[in-house]
Coordinates of all heavy atoms in Angstrom, one line a residue:
I1 N -5.4 10.1 16.0 CA -4.4 10.7 15.3 C -4.1 9.9 14.1 O -3.8 10.5 12.9 CB -3.1 10.9 16.1 CG1 -3.4 11.9 17.4 CG2 -1.9 11.2 15.4 CD1 -2.2 12.0 18.3
K2 N -4.2 8.6 14.2 CA -3.9 7.6 12.9 C -4.6 8.0 11.8 O -4.3 8.3 10.7 CB -3.9 6.3 13.4 CG -3.7 5.4 12.3 CD -4.1 3.9 12.5 CE -4.0 3.1 11.3 NZ -4.7 1.8 11.5
D3 N -6.0 8.2 12.0 CA -6.9 8.5 11.1 C -6.6 9.8 10.4 O -6.8 10.0 9.1 CB -8.4 8.4 11.5 CG -8.8 6.9 11.8 OD1 -8.2 6.1 11.2 OD2 -9.6 6.9 12.7
S4 N -6.3 10.7 11.2 CA -5.9 12.1 10.7 C -4.6 12.1 9.8 O -4.7 12.7 8.8 CB -5.8 13.1 11.9 OG -5.4 14.3 11.3
V5 N -3.6 11.5 10.3 CA -2.4 11.4 9.6 C -2.7 10.6 8.3 O -2.2 11.0 7.2 CB -1.4 10.6 10.3 CG1 -0.1 10.4 9.5 CG2 -1.0 11.6 11.6
E6 N -3.5 9.5 8.3 CA -3.8 8.7 7.1 C -4.5 9.6 6.1 O -4.2 9.5 4.9 CB -4.6 7.4 7.5 CG -4.7 6.4 6.4 CD -5.5 5.2 6.9 OE1 -5.1 4.6 8.0 OE2 -6.3 4.8 6.0
L7 N -5.5 10.3 6.4 CA -6.3 11.1 5.7 C -5.5 12.2 5.0 O -5.6 12.5 3.9 CB -7.6 11.7 6.3 CG -8.6 10.7 6.7 CD1 -9.7 11.5 7.6 CD2 -9.3 10.1 5.5
D8 N -4.5 12.8 5.8 CA -3.6 13.9 5.3 C -2.8 13.2 4.2 O -2.5 13.9 3.1 CB -2.8 14.5 6.4 CG -3.8 15.4 7.3 OD1 -4.8 15.7 7.0 OD2 -3.1 15.6 8.4
F9 N -2.3 12.0 4.5 CA -1.4 11.4 3.5 C -2.1 11.1 2.1 O -1.5 11.4 1.1 CB -0.8 10.1 4.2 CG 0.3 9.5 3.3 CD1 1.5 10.2 3.0 CD2 0.2 8.2 2.9 CE1 2.5 9.6 2.2 CE2 1.3 7.6 2.1 CZ 2.3 8.3 1.8
I10 N -3.2 10.5 2.4 CA -4.1 10.3 1.2 C -4.5 11.5 0.4 O -4.3 11.6 -0.8 CB -5.4 9.6 1.5 CG1 -5.1 8.1 2.0 CG2 -6.5 9.5 0.4 CD1 -6.2 7.4 2.6
S11 N -4.7 12.6 1.2 CA -5.0 13.8 0.4 C -4.0 14.3 -0.3 O -4.0 14.9 -1.4 CB -5.5 14.9 1.5 OG -5.9 16.2 0.9
A12 N -2.7 14.4 0.2 CA -1.5 14.8 -0.4 C -1.2 13.9 -1.6 O -0.9 14.5 -2.7 CB -0.3 14.7 0.5
L13 N -1.4 12.7 -1.6 CA -1.1 11.8 -2.7 C -2.1 12.1 -3.8 O -1.8 12.2 -5.0 CB -1.1 10.4 -2.4 CG 0.1 9.9 -1.6 CD1 -0.2 8.4 -1.1 CD2 1.4 10.0 -2.3
E14 N -3.3 12.3 -3.5 CA -4.4 12.7 -4.5 C -4.0 14.0 -5.1 O -4.1 14.1 -6.4 CB -5.8 12.8 -3.8 CG -6.3 11.6 -3.4 CD -7.6 11.8 -2.5 OE1 -7.8 12.8 -2.1 OE2 -8.3 10.9 -2.5
S15 N -3.5 14.9 -4.4 CA -3.2 16.3 -4.9 C -2.0 16.2 -5.9 O -2.0 16.7 -7.0 CB -2.8 17.1 -3.8 OG -2.5 18.4 -4.2
Y16 N -1.0 15.4 -5.5 CA 0.1 15.2 -6.4 C -0.3 14.5 -7.7 O 0.2 14.7 -8.8 CB 1.3 14.5 -5.7 CG 2.0 15.3 -4.6 CD1 2.1 14.8 -3.3 CD2 2.5 16.5 -4.9 CE1 2.8 15.5 -2.4 CE2 3.2 17.2 -4.0 CZ 3.4 16.7 -2.7 OH 3.9 17.4 -1.7
A17 N -1.1 13.3 -7.5 CA -1.5 12.6 -8.6 C -2.5 13.3 -9.6 O -2.4 13.0 -10.8 CB -2.2 11.3 -8.1
K18 N -3.1 14.4 -9.2 CA -3.7 15.2 -10.1 C -2.9 16.0 -11.0 O -3.2 16.4 -12.2 CB -4.7 16.2 -9.2 CG -5.8 15.5 -8.6 CD -6.7 16.5 -7.8 CE -7.9 15.8 -7.2 NZ -8.7 16.6 -6.3
Q19 N -1.7 16.3 -10.6 CA -0.7 17.1 -11.4 C 0.2 16.1 -12.4 O 0.2 16.5 -13.6 CB 0.2 17.8 -10.5 CG -0.5 18.9 -9.5 CD 0.5 19.3 -8.6 OE1 1.6 19.4 -8.7 NE2 -0.1 19.9 -7.4
K20 N 0.5 15.0 -11.8 CA 1.4 14.1 -12.6 C 1.1 12.6 -12.0 O 0.9 12.5 -10.8 CB 2.9 14.3 -12.4 CG 3.3 15.8 -13.0 CD 4.7 15.8 -12.7 CE 5.3 17.2 -13.3 NZ 6.8 17.4 -13.1
P21 N 1.4 11.7 -12.9 CA 1.3 10.4 -12.3 C 2.4 10.1 -11.4 O 3.4 10.7 -11.4 CB 1.5 9.4 -13.5 CG 1.2 10.4 -14.7 CD 1.5 11.7 -14.4
L22 N 2.1 9.2 -10.3 CA 3.1 8.9 -9.3 C 3.5 7.4 -9.3 O 2.7 6.6 -9.7 CB 2.6 9.1 -7.9 CG 2.1 10.6 -7.7 CD1 1.3 10.6 -6.2 CD2 3.3 11.6 -7.6
L23 N 4.7 7.3 -9.1 CA 5.3 5.9 -8.9 C 5.8 5.9 -7.4 O 6.6 6.7 -7.1 CB 6.4 5.6 -9.8 CG 7.1 4.3 -9.6 CD1 6.1 3.2 -9.8 CD2 8.2 4.2 -10.5
I24 N 5.3 5.0 -6.6 CA 5.8 4.8 -5.3 C 6.4 3.4 -5.3 O 6.0 2.5 -5.7 CB 4.6 4.8 -4.2 CG1 3.9 6.2 -4.4 CG2 5.0 4.5 -2.8 CD1 2.6 6.3 -3.6
L25 N 7.6 3.4 -4.7 CA 8.5 2.2 -4.5 C 8.6 1.9 -2.9 O 9.0 2.7 -2.2 CB 9.9 2.3 -5.2 CG 10.8 1.2 -5.0 CD1 10.2 -0.1 -5.6 CD2 12.1 1.6 -5.5
I26 N 8.3 0.7 -2.6 CA 8.4 0.2 -1.3 C 9.3 -0.8 -1.4 O 8.8 -2.0 -1.8 CB 6.9 -0.1 -0.7 CG1 6.1 1.3 -0.7 CG2 7.1 -0.5 0.7 CD1 4.6 1.0 -0.3
D27 N 10.3 -0.7 -0.7 CA 11.5 -1.7 -0.7 C 11.4 -2.4 0.7 O 11.0 -1.9 1.6 CB 12.7 -1.2 -1.0 CG 13.9 -2.0 -1.1 OD1 13.6 -3.1 -1.7 OD2 15.1 -1.7 -0.8
D28 N 11.8 -3.8 0.6 CA 11.9 -4.6 1.8 C 10.6 -4.7 2.5 O 10.6 -4.5 3.8 CB 13.0 -4.1 2.8 CG 14.3 -4.3 2.2 OD1 14.7 -5.2 1.5 OD2 15.2 -3.5 2.6
L29 N 9.6 -5.0 1.8 CA 8.2 -5.3 2.3 C 8.2 -6.2 3.5 O 7.4 -6.1 4.4 CB 7.2 -5.7 1.2 CG 5.8 -5.7 1.6 CD1 5.2 -4.4 2.0 CD2 4.9 -6.4 0.6
Q30 N 9.2 -7.1 3.6 CA 9.1 -8.2 4.6 C 9.3 -7.7 5.9 O 9.0 -8.2 7.0 CB 10.1 -9.2 4.3 CG 11.5 -8.8 4.5 CD 12.1 -8.1 3.2 OE1 11.5 -7.8 2.3 NE2 13.6 -7.9 3.3
W31 N 9.9 -6.4 6.1 CA 10.0 -5.7 7.3 C 8.8 -4.9 7.7 O 8.8 -4.4 8.9 CB 11.2 -4.9 7.4 CG 12.6 -5.7 7.0 CD1 13.4 -5.6 5.9 CD2 13.1 -6.6 7.9 NE1 14.3 -6.4 5.9 CE2 14.3 -7.1 7.2 CE3 12.8 -7.2 9.1 CZ2 15.1 -8.0 7.7 CZ3 13.6 -8.2 9.7 CH2 14.7 -8.5 8.9
S32 N 7.8 -4.9 7.0 CA 6.5 -4.1 7.4 C 5.8 -4.7 8.4 O 5.7 -5.9 8.5 CB 5.7 -3.9 6.1 OG 6.4 -3.2 5.1
D33 N 5.3 -3.9 9.3 CA 4.4 -4.5 10.5 C 2.9 -4.5 10.0 O 2.6 -4.0 8.9 CB 4.6 -3.7 11.6 CG 4.3 -2.2 11.6 OD1 4.0 -1.7 10.5 OD2 4.4 -1.5 12.7
K34 N 2.1 -5.0 10.8 CA 0.7 -5.1 10.4 C 0.0 -3.7 10.2 O -0.6 -3.5 9.1 CB -0.1 -5.9 11.5 CG -1.5 -6.1 11.2 CD -2.2 -6.8 12.1 CE -3.6 -7.1 11.6 NZ -4.5 -8.0 12.6
P35 N 0.1 -2.8 11.0 CA -0.3 -1.5 10.7 C 0.1 -0.8 9.3 O -0.6 -0.2 8.6 CB 0.2 -0.6 11.9 CG 0.3 -1.5 12.9 CD 0.8 -2.8 12.3
S36 N 1.3 -1.1 9.0 CA 1.9 -0.4 7.7 C 1.2 -1.3 6.5 O 1.0 -0.6 5.6 CB 3.6 -0.7 7.7 OG 4.0 -0.1 8.7
I37 N 1.0 -2.5 6.6 CA 0.4 -3.2 5.5 C -0.9 -2.8 5.4 O -1.6 -2.6 4.3 CB 0.5 -4.8 5.8 CG1 2.0 -5.3 5.9 CG2 -0.3 -5.5 4.7 CD1 2.7 -5.1 4.4
E38 N -1.8 -2.6 6.6 CA -3.1 -2.3 6.5 C -3.2 -0.7 5.8 O -4.1 -0.5 5.3 CB -3.7 -2.2 8.0 CG -3.8 -3.6 8.6 CD -4.3 -3.6 10.0 OE1 -4.0 -2.5 10.7 OE2 -4.7 -4.7 10.5
L39 N -2.1 0.0 6.2 CA -2.3 1.3 5.6 C -2.0 1.2 4.0 O -2.8 1.9 3.3 CB -1.0 2.2 6.2 CG -0.8 3.6 5.5 CD1 -2.0 4.6 5.7 CD2 0.4 4.4 6.0
L40 N -1.1 0.4 3.7 CA -0.9 0.2 2.2 C -2.2 -0.3 1.6 O -2.5 0.1 0.4 CB 0.3 -0.9 2.0 CG 1.6 -0.4 2.3 CD1 2.6 -1.6 2.2 CD2 2.0 0.7 1.4
I41 N -3.0 -1.1 2.1 CA -4.2 -1.7 1.6 C -5.1 -0.5 1.6 O -5.9 -0.4 0.5 CB -4.7 -2.9 2.5 CG1 -3.8 -4.1 2.2 CG2 -6.2 -3.3 2.0 CD1 -4.2 -5.2 3.1
S42 N -5.3 0.2 2.6 CA -6.2 1.3 2.7 C -5.8 2.4 1.5 O -6.7 2.9 0.9 CB -6.1 2.0 4.0 OG -7.0 3.2 4.1
L43 N -4.7 2.7 1.4 CA -4.1 3.5 0.3 C -4.5 3.1 -1.0 O -5.0 3.8 -1.8 CB -2.7 3.8 0.4 CG -2.1 4.7 1.6 CD1 -0.5 4.6 1.6 CD2 -2.6 6.1 1.5
S44 N -4.3 1.8 -1.3 CA -4.7 1.2 -2.5 C -6.1 1.4 -2.9 O -6.5 1.6 -3.9 CB -4.2 -0.2 -2.5 OG -2.7 -0.3 -2.5
K45 N -7.0 1.2 -1.8 CA -8.3 1.3 -2.0 C -8.8 2.7 -2.3 O -9.5 3.0 -3.2 CB -9.1 0.8 -0.8 CG -9.1 -0.7 -0.6 CD -9.8 -1.2 0.6 CE -9.7 -2.7 0.9 NZ -10.2 -3.0 2.1
E46 N -8.3 3.6 -1.5 CA -8.7 5.0 -1.6 C -8.2 5.7 -2.8 O -8.8 6.6 -3.5 CB -8.1 5.9 -0.4 CG -8.7 5.4 0.9 CD -10.3 5.8 1.0 OE1 -10.6 6.8 0.4 OE2 -11.1 5.0 1.6
L47 N -7.1 5.2 -3.5 CA -6.4 5.9 -4.5 C -6.5 5.2 -5.8 O -5.9 5.4 -6.7 CB -4.9 6.2 -4.2 CG -4.7 7.0 -2.9 CD1 -3.2 7.0 -2.6 CD2 -5.2 8.4 -3.1
E48 N -7.3 4.0 -5.8 CA -7.4 3.3 -7.2 C -7.8 4.1 -8.3 O -7.6 3.7 -9.4 CB -8.4 2.0 -6.9 CG -9.8 2.4 -6.7 CD -10.7 1.2 -6.4 OE1 -10.0 0.1 -6.6 OE2 -11.8 1.3 -6.1
N49 N -8.5 5.2 -8.2 CA -9.0 6.0 -9.4 C -7.9 7.0 -9.8 O -8.3 7.9 -10.5 CB -10.2 6.6 -9.3 CG -11.3 5.5 -9.0 OD1 -11.2 4.5 -9.8 ND2 -12.2 5.7 -8.0
Y50 N -6.8 7.0 -9.2 CA -5.8 8.0 -9.5 C -4.6 7.4 -10.3 O -4.3 6.2 -10.0 CB -5.2 8.8 -8.3 CG -6.2 9.6 -7.6 CD1 -7.2 9.1 -6.7 CD2 -6.4 11.0 -8.0 CE1 -8.2 9.9 -6.2 CE2 -7.3 11.7 -7.3 CZ -8.2 11.3 -6.5 OH -9.2 12.1 -5.9
P51 N -3.8 8.1 -11.0 CA -2.7 7.5 -11.8 C -1.4 7.3 -10.8 O -0.5 8.0 -10.7 CB -2.4 8.5 -12.8 CG -2.8 9.9 -12.2 CD -4.0 9.6 -11.4
I52 N -1.6 6.3 -9.9 CA -0.6 6.0 -8.9 C -0.3 4.6 -9.0 O -1.2 3.7 -9.0 CB -1.0 6.3 -7.5 CG1 -1.3 7.8 -7.4 CG2 0.1 5.9 -6.5 CD1 -2.0 8.3 -6.0
H53 N 1.0 4.3 -9.2 CA 1.4 2.8 -9.2 C 2.4 2.5 -8.0 O 3.3 3.4 -7.7 CB 2.2 2.6 -10.5 CG 1.4 2.7 -11.7 ND1 0.4 1.8 -12.1 CD2 1.1 3.8 -12.6 CE1 -0.2 2.2 -13.3 NE2 0.2 3.4 -13.5
I54 N 2.2 1.6 -7.3 CA 2.9 1.2 -6.2 C 3.7 -0.1 -6.5 O 3.1 -1.0 -7.0 CB 2.1 1.0 -5.0 CG1 1.3 2.2 -4.7 CG2 2.9 0.7 -3.8 CD1 0.3 2.0 -3.5
I55 N 5.0 -0.1 -6.3 CA 5.8 -1.2 -6.5 C 6.4 -1.7 -5.2 O 6.9 -0.8 -4.5 CB 7.0 -1.1 -7.6 CG1 6.4 -0.6 -8.9 CG2 7.9 -2.2 -7.7 CD1 7.5 -0.2 -9.9
F56 N 6.2 -2.9 -4.9 CA 6.7 -3.5 -3.7 C 7.9 -4.5 -4.0 O 7.7 -5.2 -5.0 CB 5.7 -4.5 -3.0 CG 4.5 -3.7 -2.7 CD1 3.2 -3.9 -3.5 CD2 4.3 -2.9 -1.6 CE1 2.0 -3.2 -3.2 CE2 3.0 -2.2 -1.3 CZ 2.1 -2.4 -2.1
T57 N 8.9 -4.5 -3.2 CA 9.9 -5.5 -3.4 C 10.0 -6.1 -2.0 O 9.7 -5.5 -1.0 CB 11.3 -4.8 -3.7 OG1 11.7 -4.0 -2.7 CG2 11.2 -4.0 -5.0
S58 N 10.3 -7.4 -2.1 CA 10.6 -8.2 -0.9 C 11.4 -9.4 -1.0 O 11.4 -9.9 -2.2 CB 9.1 -8.6 -0.4 OG 9.1 -9.5 0.7
K59 N 12.0 -9.8 0.1 CA 12.6 -11.2 0.1 C 11.5 -12.2 0.1 O 10.3 -11.8 0.5 CB 13.6 -11.2 1.3 CG 14.6 -10.3 1.1 CD 15.7 -10.6 2.3 CE 16.8 -9.5 1.9 NZ 17.8 -9.5 3.1
K60 N 11.8 -13.4 0.0 CA 10.8 -14.4 0.2 C 10.0 -14.5 1.4 O 10.6 -14.4 2.4 CB 11.4 -15.7 -0.1 CG 10.5 -16.8 -0.5 CD 11.3 -18.1 -0.9 CE 10.4 -19.0 -1.9 NZ 11.2 -20.2 -2.3
I61 N 8.6 -14.3 1.3 CA 7.8 -14.3 2.5 C 7.0 -15.6 2.4 O 6.4 -16.0 1.5 CB 6.8 -13.1 2.6 CG1 7.7 -11.7 2.5 CG2 5.8 -13.1 3.7 CD1 6.9 -10.6 2.4
N62 N 6.9 -16.2 3.7 CA 6.1 -17.5 3.8 C 4.7 -17.0 4.1 O 4.4 -16.6 5.2 CB 6.6 -18.4 5.0 CG 5.9 -19.6 5.0 OD1 4.7 -19.8 4.4 ND2 6.4 -20.7 5.6
I63 N 3.9 -16.9 3.1 CA 2.5 -16.3 3.3 C 1.7 -17.1 4.3 O 0.9 -16.6 5.1 CB 1.7 -16.2 2.0 CG1 2.5 -15.1 1.2 CG2 0.3 -15.8 2.1 CD1 2.0 -14.8 -0.2
T64 N 1.9 -18.4 4.4 CA 1.0 -19.2 5.2 C 1.4 -18.8 6.7 O 0.4 -19.1 7.6 CB 1.3 -20.7 5.1 OG1 2.7 -21.0 5.3 CG2 0.9 -21.1 3.6
E65 N 2.5 -18.2 7.0 CA 2.9 -17.8 8.5 C 2.5 -16.4 8.7 O 2.7 -15.9 9.8 CB 4.3 -18.1 8.6 CG 4.6 -19.6 8.7 CD 6.2 -19.8 8.9 OE1 6.9 -18.8 9.1 OE2 6.6 -21.0 8.7
N66 N 2.2 -15.7 7.5 CA 1.9 -14.2 7.8 C 0.8 -13.8 7.1 O 0.7 -13.4 5.9 CB 3.2 -13.4 7.1 CG 4.5 -13.7 7.8 OD1 4.7 -13.3 8.8 ND2 5.4 -14.5 7.1
Q67 N -0.5 -13.8 7.9 CA -1.7 -13.8 7.3 C -1.9 -12.3 6.7 O -2.5 -12.0 5.7 CB -2.8 -13.9 8.3 CG -4.2 -13.7 7.9 CD -4.6 -14.6 6.7 OE1 -4.3 -15.8 6.8 NE2 -5.2 -14.1 5.6
I68 N -1.2 -11.3 7.3 CA -1.3 -9.8 6.8 C -0.7 -9.9 5.4 O -1.4 -9.1 4.4 CB -0.7 -8.9 7.7 CG1 -1.1 -7.5 7.3 CG2 0.8 -9.0 7.8 CD1 -2.6 -7.1 7.4
Y69 N 0.3 -10.5 5.0 CA 0.9 -10.5 3.8 C -0.1 -11.3 2.8 O -0.3 -10.8 1.6 CB 2.2 -11.1 3.6 CG 3.3 -10.3 4.5 CD1 3.8 -10.8 5.6 CD2 3.6 -9.2 4.1 CE1 4.7 -10.1 6.4 CE2 4.5 -8.4 4.8 CZ 5.0 -8.9 6.0 OH 6.0 -8.1 6.8
A70 N -0.6 -12.2 3.2 CA -1.7 -13.0 2.5 C -2.9 -12.0 2.1 O -3.4 -12.1 0.9 CB -2.2 -14.1 3.1
D71 N -3.3 -11.3 3.1 CA -4.4 -10.4 2.8 C -4.0 -9.2 1.9 O -4.8 -9.0 0.9 CB -4.8 -9.7 4.2 CG -5.5 -10.5 5.1 OD1 -5.8 -11.7 4.8 OD2 -5.4 -10.1 6.3
L72 N -2.7 -8.7 1.8 CA -2.3 -7.8 0.9 C -2.3 -8.5 -0.6 O -2.7 -7.9 -1.4 CB -1.0 -7.2 1.3 CG -0.2 -6.3 0.3 CD1 -1.1 -5.1 0.1 CD2 1.2 -6.0 0.8
L73 N -1.7 -9.7 -0.6 CA -1.6 -10.3 -1.9 C -2.9 -10.6 -2.5 O -3.2 -10.4 -3.7 CB -0.8 -11.6 -1.8 CG -0.5 -12.4 -3.1 CD1 0.1 -11.5 -4.0 CD2 0.1 -13.7 -2.8
K74 N -3.9 -11.0 -1.6 CA -5.2 -11.2 -2.0 C -5.8 -10.0 -2.6 O -6.6 -10.0 -3.7 CB -6.1 -11.7 -0.9 CG -7.4 -12.4 -1.4 CD -8.2 -12.9 -0.2 CE -7.5 -13.9 0.6 NZ -8.0 -14.5 1.8
F75 N -5.8 -8.9 -1.9 CA -6.2 -7.6 -2.4 C -5.7 -7.2 -3.7 O -6.3 -6.7 -4.6 CB -6.0 -6.5 -1.3 CG -6.4 -5.1 -1.8 CD1 -7.7 -4.8 -1.9 CD2 -5.4 -4.2 -2.2 CE1 -8.0 -3.5 -2.4 CE2 -5.7 -3.1 -2.7 CZ -7.0 -2.6 -2.8
L76 N -4.3 -7.3 -3.8 CA -3.7 -6.8 -5.0 C -4.1 -7.7 -6.2 O -4.0 -7.2 -7.3 CB -2.1 -7.0 -4.8 CG -1.5 -5.9 -3.9 CD1 -0.1 -6.2 -3.5 CD2 -1.8 -4.5 -4.3
E77 N -4.3 -9.1 -5.9 CA -4.8 -9.8 -7.1 C -6.2 -9.5 -7.5 O -6.5 -9.6 -8.8 CB -4.8 -11.3 -6.6 CG -3.4 -11.9 -6.4 CD -3.4 -13.3 -5.9 OE1 -4.5 -13.7 -5.4 OE2 -2.4 -14.1 -5.9
K78 N -6.9 -8.8 -6.8 CA -8.2 -8.5 -7.2 C -8.3 -7.1 -8.0 O -9.1 -6.8 -8.8 CB -9.2 -8.1 -6.0 CG -9.5 -9.4 -5.3 CD -10.4 -8.9 -4.1 CE -10.7 -10.1 -3.2 NZ -11.5 -9.6 -2.0
T79 N -7.2 -6.3 -7.9 CA -7.0 -5.2 -8.7 C -6.3 -5.3 -9.9 O -5.3 -6.2 -10.1 CB -6.4 -4.0 -7.7 OG1 -5.1 -4.4 -7.4 CG2 -7.2 -3.8 -6.5
D80 N -6.4 -4.3 -10.8 CA -5.7 -4.3 -12.1 C -4.5 -3.4 -12.0 O -4.3 -2.4 -11.4 CB -6.5 -3.8 -13.3 CG -7.5 -4.7 -13.6 OD1 -7.4 -5.9 -13.4 OD2 -8.7 -4.3 -14.0

């Protein structure tokens, strides 16, 4: 089910982005769990060729204690 929901979500975002650029705001990233962060990374990879910008806000996160946030940051640093 997870893959189906994820694919449907990606498909919907692609469809909207073909019509107009999208801005997605994700507030309080520090409350995200591992599956949510993994979904954000997956979305970022799948949608990198579409006019979609994602803005994250977060309180201070100790990346050394939270590997998944380090993975997200590492991924985002590789992209433009």
Side-chain angles (χ1 to χ4, degrees):
I1 292 176
K2 177 189 169 195
D3 292 333
S4 175
V5 171
E6 187 175 322
L7 291 174
D8 288 345
F9 189 57
I10 289 169
S11 179
L13 290 175
E14 288 173 345
S15 180
Y16 289 124
K18 287 178 183 175
Q19 298 172 27
K20 295 181 181 181
L22 295 177
L23 175 63
I24 300 170
L25 175 62
I26 299 174
D27 192 24
D28 290 331
L29 186 68
Q30 74 275 5
W31 297 113
S32 300
D33 59 2
K34 184 176 180 174
S36 298
I37 298 294
E38 289 171 347
L39 174 63
L40 292 173
I41 292 171
S42 178
L43 287 174
S44 297
K45 289 177 183 177
E46 293 292 326
L47 300 170
E48 68 182 348
N49 294 318
Y50 290 87
I52 299 174
H53 298 277
I54 303 173
I55 297 174
F56 304 101
T57 65
S58 175
K59 293 182 179 169
K60 200 173 206 177
I61 298 173
N62 186 343
I63 291 179
T64 59
E65 294 178 8
N66 297 288
Q67 183 59 44
I68 192 65
Y69 296 111
D71 293 344
L72 177 62
L73 184 60
K74 193 180 302 181
F75 173 75
L76 293 173
E77 287 175 344
K78 293 180 188 176
T79 61
D80 291 329

